[in-house]
Amino acid sequence: MPELTWDRLLSSKRSRENVRKNPNDVRSEFRKDYHRIVGSASFRRLQDKTQVFPLDRGDFVRTRLTHSLEVSSFAESICDTALMRLSSEGRTEITPEVREACCDILRCAGLVHDIGNPPFGHFGEYTIREWFGLHLSALDFCGEPVNALLSEQMKHDLLNFEGNAQALRVLTKLHYLIDEHGMNLTYALLNTIIKYPVTSLGINKKSGDIKDKKMGYYCTEQRLYDEISEATGAVGCRYPLTFLLEAADDIAYKTADIEDAVKKGMISCTQLMSELRGYAARCDDAAQKRILESSAERLEKCLERAVANRMPDPEQNAVQNWMIRMQGVMIYSASDAFADNYDLIMRGEMKRELLAASPAWGLSEALSDIAYRYAFISKEILKIELSVSTMMDFLLDKLTGAALRFDTDSEKITDKKLISVISQNYVKICLMECEGRSKAEQAYHRLMLVTDYICGMTDGFARELYREISGIS
C-alpha cells in the first residue's frame, strides 16, 4: 500500500486546466469548487429528492438537499477537530494550510456526495438494480442479445447500480455546461467522494475491508479514476478524507431518520428511551454501554425540561434537543477515531469506518436498527415503495427499449418521441461515447443513458413523467 502524503493528496489538478486565470481571484482552488457546486442545477435538484419518505407532502422531513447541507457541516467539523488534535500532538505535516484545505474539500464533498442518487431515496437505487436483474437477459441490440454482448464488468455495473458511482459520472461528465469535463472539479475533491475504490467486479462484502463493500465507479470512468488516484497518490486504497465524509453522512442520516420518524408519529419519545435502555443492557463493550446509558438519560432529561417549559409538543422538542447532543457525541467520537487511526489511514490500511472504531458505535447501530424497525418497514413506507416500484419499472421499460432502438433500423415512432423527452445533453454525451465503438460498448452506453436520465430526475418530475407517458390524468 502507498504511504500517503498531504502534498499529493491535496491535488488541485482538474481534467481541464484553466489557462486564463484571473489575477484578482484570491480564492483557493477548493473554494472555487464550492461556488461551482452551489450554482449548479444538479445541486438544486436535490431539494426535490427525499431521503426516507418519498413523495412526502410535509415540509418537515429532510430532502437530499437539507441532508447534504448537514453532511457538509458535520464533515467540516469532524475534520477540523481531528486535524487540530493531530497538530497539537506534534504532527508537523498538519499545517494550518493543510487543515484549511481539508475542511474546504469536505465542505464541498458533503454537498455533492448524494448528487448521483436517483429519485425516491435508496429504494430508487434498489429498484434500478432489481429491474436490470430481471430484464437484462431479455434485452437485445441490433438483433443480438445484450447479455451476450456486454462484458462481465458492464453487466455488473448495471446489476450493482450505485449512487456513489453515479455521482462521479454526474460531476465529471453529465453536468455538460462547457465541455465533456462536467463541473471540472479538483481531483482531491473527486477522490474524496469515491467511497469505494473498486470496480463492480471488485465488490467483496466478505473481505472485511470497507473499501470493497460497493462499486465506486463504472467502467466508463475507469481512466478518470486512474488519473485521479495517480494524482493524489491514493492508488488502490481509500482517500483519507473519505473516512471523515462517510462518518458525517452516517451521523446525519442516522439521527435525522429518528427525528423524522418521531415527527411523523412512527415512534414516541418514550419508546425511543426504552429502546436505548434495552440496547445499553445488552451491550458488552463498556465504553459503548456508557454512551448508550447516557443517551437514554439525556433523552429523559430533555423530555422533563420540555414538559416543565410547557412546550406545545414536548416529545418532538425533547427529541430535537437530544439529537443535537447525540450528533455532538458522534462527531467527537469520529474525530478521535480518525486521530487514533491516523497512521493506518495514511498507509491505506484502515479497514473499518470511523464510527465502528469508536465508542459511539453502539449508539450508531442502535439508531440504525430503531429507524429500520419503526420507519423503514412501516406500512406507510411500504405502500409508498410499492407505488415507486410501479413508476420506476414503467419508466425503465419504456426508456430502455427506446434507448436501445433509437437511431437504428428497428427504431419505432414512439422511440423517437421518448428519446426527444430525454435531456439532449445526455443524448449528446451518449452519441459521443458510442461513436466508433464496438456494438457491446454502444449497447452499454445506451443503457447508461437511461440510468443517467432517471438519476437526474427529482421525485416530482419522475412521478409527473410517469403520469404523462402512461396516460394517467
Side-chain angles (χ1 to χ4, degrees), residues 301-414:
K301 289 178 181 177
C302 287
L303 181 58
E304 289 172 354
R305 186 171 62 245
V307 171
N309 291 337
R310 298 182 180 180
M311 300 302 296
D313 189 341
E315 292 213 351
Q316 181 63 31
N317 178 269
V319 170
Q320 287 175 331
N321 279 287
W322 177 77
M323 280 300 176
I324 294 170
R325 297 294 185 99
M326 294 306 101
Q327 286 165 354
V329 168
M330 296 169 83
I331 283 171
Y332 290 123
S333 290
S335 300
D336 283 341
F338 185 86
D340 292 340
N341 294 278
Y342 179 70
D343 290 330
L344 268 180
I345 290 168
M346 296 301 281
R347 290 198 302 269
E349 297 174 0
M350 179 70 170
K351 297 181 186 232
R352 294 188 294 170
E353 57 191 281
L354 292 182
L355 287 175
S358 81
W361 183 238
L363 175 61
S364 172
E365 288 291 271
L367 295 178
S368 293
D369 185 56
I370 293 167
Y372 175 77
R373 288 188 289 108
Y374 284 87
F376 294 175
I377 58 173
S378 66
K379 286 185 179 180
E380 179 181 351
I381 292 295
L382 293 177
K383 284 189 288 185
I384 291 173
E385 287 180 344
L386 287 172
S387 173
V388 165
S389 180
T390 299
M391 287 187 281
M392 291 285 281
D393 285 349
F394 177 85
L395 292 174
L396 284 162
D397 285 340
K398 293 293 183 181
L399 293 170
T400 300
L404 289 171
R405 289 189 299 266
F406 92 97
D407 205 28
T408 68
D409 293 338
S410 58
E411 183 179 34
K412 301 177 181 178
I413 294 176
T414 52

Side-chain angles (χ1 to χ4, degrees), residues 219-235:
C219 58
T220 50
E221 282 69 60
Q222 176 73 62
R223 183 185 298 177
L224 175 62
Y225 170 74
D226 291 341
E227 288 180 10
I228 291 169
S229 58
E230 182 60 36
T232 64
V235 179

Side-chain angles (χ1 to χ4, degrees), residues 32-70:
K32 290 176 185 176
D33 282 346
Y34 184 87
H35 293 133
R36 293 182 188 203
I37 293 163
V38 296
S40 70
S42 300
F43 178 65
R44 290 195 299 274
R45 287 192 194 103
L46 295 175
Q47 67 186 313
D48 189 25
K49 289 188 177 185
T50 46
Q51 281 287 105
V52 180
F53 302 97
L55 305 178
D56 191 273
R57 293 184 176 86
D59 60 359
F60 175 84
V61 296
R62 286 164 173 83
T63 65
R64 289 278 178 194
L65 181 61
T66 50
H67 167 72
S68 297
L69 291 169
E70 288 174 335

Side-chain angles (χ1 to χ4, degrees), residues 13 127 172 377 396 420 461:
K13 183 180 178 182
T127 304
T172 62
I377 58 173
L396 284 162
S420 69
F461 182 88

